[in-house]
Structure formats: C-alpha cells, structure tokens
Amino acid sequence: MLSDKSMKRNIIALNRDNEETVNQANDKLGKVSSIVSDEVLENNLVRLLSEFDQHLLSLNKKVEKEPYAAISILLIMLNECAEFTEMVMKVETETEFLANLANIASDKYSHLRLLHVRQNRISDATARNLYKGWTGEKAERHLVFKEISSGMAQILMSYLSFFSSSFNDSNTSLQWDDICEVFADDLDQSLQSLSY
C-alpha cells in the first residue's frame, strides 16, 4: 500500500519524467495556455474535478462488493482526461498524449502494458477479461491489479499537473496544483483500501 508521502513522491517522479512529454506536446502546439484562456480552462477544470469527486464516491461505495470497479472507474477518469485534453486544451488526438503517459508510467508499473491505448483512449476489455478469467493465486492477482491501479493514478495525476501548469497566471496555476494534490490524497486513500 502506498503512503501519502510515497504517493506524492511517485507523482512527482512521474511528473518529472513526464515533463519531456508535456514539453513535446507544447512544442507541437505552441504554448497550450495561449490557445485556451485561463477562464475557460478553469471553468472546465471545475467541471472535470466535480465529476472526479462523483467517481471517487462511486469507487468508495463499490469497491467492497466489486473490487474491479476501481479499475473501471480509473479508466473512465483517464479517458475523461484524454477527452478534456482534446476538447478543452485542443491537443490533437495524433499526439497520442495518453499513450505517451502510459508508456512513461509503465517503466515503473510494468503491468500497465496490459492495457491497450487506441485512438487516445484505454479500453476496459483486456483488463476486465484478465481479472475475471484469473486462474492464479488471489494474492498474485491483488499485486498485479494494485500495480495497475497505482500506475493509472499516476497517469491521472500527470494529466492534472499538465492542466494546472497550462494556466497563464502563475498564482492560478499554484492554486490548481494544491487542489490537485488534495484530490491525489483522496484518491490514494480510496485505493489503499482495495483488495483485488
């Protein structure tokens, strides 16, 4: 299980690794924040994080009865981030932003490679089939899916870091960093209680 401090260290480590990917996307598009006004970005981020709060409530209710629900909910959030990146941030699908983040995270969480990114979205089918068809020991399944969920959480935090860093105003950017850190703590607490 990840402690608060180790989760933050992992997020920071992935975000440092991810800076190159974020910078590559920015280079292709010019400065992303110059395309989207701070007001538009902030309004849409408020909506996105409100949806994420609802997903966390759902995750906390379902996980005892359906542990796999956590993976499905994380996949929904990642795909919503991918959509947000395309629709709000105007990042072209061809940049394969999600695939790049998944590749970076899979260096640390190798079981993330079991998830398939196609057209900048992650399909639930492969992971669901693996979970439902698991024939090995339950302890091993727990480790595999714990790693997958931790990796997906890091990708999610990298997205949120990308969004908050795209504000023109540095104070607004710092405020959103704080908001995203609170969300990261809440997500970490939810994921710690899982037993796959």
Side-chain angles (χ1 to χ4, degrees), residues 2-144:
L2 294 173
S3 68
D4 288 346
K5 288 182 182 177
S6 68
M7 178 71 167
K8 287 177 191 168
R9 279 195 303 271
N10 290 340
I11 290 167
I12 290 167
L14 181 59
N15 287 341
R16 283 189 186 134
D17 290 342
N18 187 38
E19 284 176 14
E20 186 175 316
T21 302
V22 171
N23 289 337
Q24 287 171 352
N26 283 344
D27 289 344
K28 288 180 184 176
L29 298 166
K31 179 110 169 78
V32 171
S33 58
S34 66
I35 296 172
V36 180
S37 74
D38 281 2
E39 183 179 355
V40 169
L41 178 57
E42 188 161 36
N43 289 339
N44 281 285
L45 264 178
V46 167
R47 279 191 218 99
L48 182 68
L49 283 176
S50 294
E51 289 176 27
F52 283 4
D53 283 340
Q54 294 303 310
H55 291 315
L56 275 182
L57 287 173
S58 179
L59 188 148
N60 290 330
K61 289 178 186 175
K62 289 183 176 180
V63 293
E64 287 184 29
K65 295 178 184 174
E66 301 175 61
Y68 184 79
I71 299 293
S72 292
I73 291 169
L74 284 168
L75 286 170
I76 289 168
M77 289 193 283
L78 286 178
N79 287 332
E80 286 175 350
C81 282
E83 183 177 340
F84 186 95
T85 303
E86 295 163 7
M87 303 303 288
V88 177
M89 306 294 292
K90 308 298 184 198
V91 174
E92 297 291 329
T93 306
E94 291 77 25
T95 63
E96 297 184 354
F97 202 84
L98 178 55
N100 288 331
L101 293 180
N103 284 336
I104 291 167
S106 68
D107 287 342
K108 182 172 185 177
Y109 299 103
S110 61
H111 288 101
L112 274 177
R113 291 185 180 99
L114 297 170
L115 305 178
H116 297 286
V117 181
R118 287 192 183 90
Q119 298 178 332
N120 210 36
R121 299 295 186 275
I122 297 179
S123 170
D124 191 26
T126 305
R128 181 179 296 277
N129 290 340
L130 178 64
Y131 185 84
K132 292 196 178 231
W134 192 271
T135 57
E137 292 187 23
K138 189 174 179 181
E140 186 181 352
R141 181 181 70 186
H142 172 75
L143 291 174
V144 167

Side-chain angles (χ1 to χ4, degrees), residues 181-192:
E181 188 172 317
V182 169
F183 176 77
D185 289 343
D186 292 345
L187 179 61
D188 182 47
Q189 286 180 348
S190 296
L191 295 178
Q192 280 185 29

